[in-house]
């Protein structure tokens, strides 16, 4: 992949823009099964992250992700702040000392992020959470890496898989968070956390496609 420190910073900024663009959509999804604040909370957090990315100077990719995670933890309310914050901080541990990353590096970072979310949220695949997008995306990227596909192709497939997985959360009952109180009544509703995770994966793909990163 050969994605540089500057490019990673730009990707984080683009994620913030995608969250802002979809904040009402995320809030509407959350209104059906949660507290109706996922979009507004995530937007508030990522606007703060964007400010730090645009005004900051970072020594390595690990620091970029650590600052992102710490900002989300301190600003985003509900479960999303601790979960996304943990994900970015855990990924940042794998990015320490790196001024560029390839697909293998990203896989290691995403694996750390997933493990962190599992531990923090006590959740697994199939619980109608962000993991229902992150885990399939990881597995798709891993398969692409193993057969030597380009990063753009790998993320194209991962974004497609993430979209299907996101839509698939409509078909399962929630087992975690406020939505779990609805039980079977949560079926038919798309998970907002899975949706914001899809937006992040898709944003990375769109950035790589635009930049022509191989």
């Amino acid at each position: 992949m050969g994605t540089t420190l500057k490019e990673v910073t730009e990707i984080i900024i683009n994620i913030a823009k995608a969250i802002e663009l979809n904040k009402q959509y995320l809030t509407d999804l959350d209104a059906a099964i949660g507290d109706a604040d996922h979009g507004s909370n995530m937007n508030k957090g990522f606007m703060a992250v964007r400010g730090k990315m645009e005004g900051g100077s970072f020594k390595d990719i690990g620091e970029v992700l650590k600052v992102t995670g710490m900002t989300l933890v301190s600003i985003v309310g509900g479960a999303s702040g601790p979960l996304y914050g943990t994900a970015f901080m855990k990924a940042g541990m794998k990015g320490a000392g790196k001024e560029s990353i390839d697909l293998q590096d990203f896989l290691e970072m995403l694996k750390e992020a997933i493990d962190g979310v599992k531990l923090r949220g006590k959740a697994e695949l199939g619980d109608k959470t962000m993991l229902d997008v992150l885990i399939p995306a990881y597995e798709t990227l891993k398969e692409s890496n193993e057969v030597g596909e380009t990063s753009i192709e790998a993320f194209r497939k991962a974004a497609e898989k993430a979209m299907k997985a996101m839509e698939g959360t409509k078909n399962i009952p929630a087992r975690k968070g406020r939505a779990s109180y609805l039980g079977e009544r949560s079926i038919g509703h798309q998970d907002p956390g899975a949706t914001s995770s899809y937006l992040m994966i898709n944003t990375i793909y769109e950035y790589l496609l635009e930049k022509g990163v191989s």
Side-chain angles (χ1 to χ4, degrees):
M1 187 157 58
T3 304
T4 66
L5 171 59
K6 179 177 180 293
E7 289 170 336
V8 171
T9 304
E10 290 174 350
I11 287 170
I12 298 295
I13 292 170
N14 283 7
I15 287 173
K17 292 177 181 178
I19 294 295
E20 182 179 27
L21 186 64
N22 290 276
K23 64 181 179 180
Q24 189 59 52
Y25 175 49
L26 293 172
T27 291
D28 290 345
L29 290 174
D30 198 31
I33 57 175
D35 292 327
D37 60 1
H38 186 64
S40 56
N41 279 343
M42 288 289 285
N43 183 58
K44 183 179 178 181
F46 270 100
M47 286 303 99
V49 167
R50 179 178 175 180
K52 292 187 177 183
M53 293 298 107
E54 291 177 338
S57 177
F58 306 98
K59 63 182 179 181
D60 57 33
I61 290 169
E63 187 179 17
V64 168
L65 298 176
K66 179 181 178 182
V67 168
T68 298
M70 291 177 68
T71 303
L72 295 177
V73 167
S74 65
I75 292 179
V76 179
S80 299
L83 291 173
Y84 273 117
T86 295
F88 277 99
M89 286 189 286
K90 286 288 188 180
M93 293 171 66
K94 285 291 184 180
K98 297 181 185 296
E99 294 185 8
S100 68
I101 56 172
D102 59 16
L103 184 54
Q104 180 60 41
D105 292 322
F106 183 84
L107 278 168
E108 293 174 5
M109 292 159 66
L110 183 54
K111 179 67 163 57
E112 283 294 316
I114 288 169
D115 288 346
V117 171
K118 283 182 176 180
L119 187 62
R120 189 69 184 257
K122 303 293 188 290
E124 296 290 340
L125 184 68
D127 284 343
K128 201 183 182 89
T129 71
M130 57 199 285
L131 291 174
D132 290 310
V133 160
L134 294 179
I135 292 174
Y138 169 80
E139 291 173 345
T140 301
L141 289 169
K142 186 178 179 183
E143 290 171 4
S144 292
N145 189 49
E146 287 172 350
V147 298
E149 291 179 338
T150 65
S151 294
I152 289 178
E153 180 65 8
F155 272 94
R156 182 188 68 78
K157 290 182 176 180
E160 288 180 356
K161 184 70 173 181
M163 176 178 279
K164 291 177 183 177
M166 171 190 73
E167 293 171 345
T169 62
K170 296 174 184 177
N171 304 320
I172 55 178
R175 298 189 180 94
K176 295 294 174 182
R178 187 176 180 86
S180 65
Y181 299 136
L182 296 175
E184 296 295 315
R185 286 179 294 155
S186 66
I187 294 176
H189 298 287
Q190 186 170 298
D191 182 66
T195 305
S196 54
S197 288
Y198 160 72
L199 290 172
M200 294 180 193
I201 296 295
N202 190 60
T203 296
I204 297 173
Y205 166 59
E206 289 180 342
Y207 180 90
L208 296 178
L209 185 64
E210 180 184 351
K211 291 289 185 177
V213 177
S214 59

